Amino acid sequence: MNANARRRTVLTAGAAGAAALVTGCGSSGDESGGGDASGTPTGTTSDAASPGASPGGGEELAATGDIPVGGGTIFKEQKVVVTQPEEGEFKAFSAVCTHAQCLVSTVSDGTINCPCHGSKFSITDAAVEAGPATRPLPAEQITVSGGAIRLG
């Protein structure tokens, strides 16, 4: 085998290894951890398809009455969590943990909870309440109108 053939073999093996590494670090789409946090959650998780979009806003996520006061609801398909820290005050954040990109799984006791490593985020502003995450969940844009909460 000449030097050029060996170089191609090494480069090909290196590229295949890099592709495998990237694939292994990617998302499988099911990172909810499968477990439930201890205690009774004050929020719910929605796997159902959303009712749809309307001309006045984005995709409808839920009715305002579906989001518990002092809790929240996780919309796995949209990767969004909507909270209601106080009655009539709705907030939305990314449901993807800033630590290891797992999907948060529950909302309870005033926090949004990640099952992978135990990070907890405030339902009010998504600030980190417990690590290992060091950054808050990014805010998401929602509109609340006519009893409906819409993405965007």
Side-chain angles (χ1 to χ4, degrees), residues 59-116:
E59 179 178 10
E60 185 174 331
L61 294 173
T64 55
D66 294 340
I67 310 299
V69 176
T73 301
I74 299 164
F75 298 91
K76 287 184 178 183
E77 186 177 309
Q78 295 82 1
K79 296 184 179 174
V80 171
V81 57
V82 177
T83 64
Q84 186 176 187
E86 294 182 28
E87 186 150 358
E89 177 188 2
F90 297 92
K91 307 277 185 159
F93 308 102
S94 169
V96 179
C97 181
T98 56
H99 171 247
Q101 288 68 56
C102 295
L103 206 59
V104 298
S105 63
T106 61
V107 182
S108 62
D109 301 322
T111 60
I112 302 162
N113 309 303
C114 181
C116 292

Side-chain angles (χ1 to χ4, degrees), residues 40-53:
T40 305
T42 57
T44 59
T45 302
S46 171
D47 287 314
S50 294

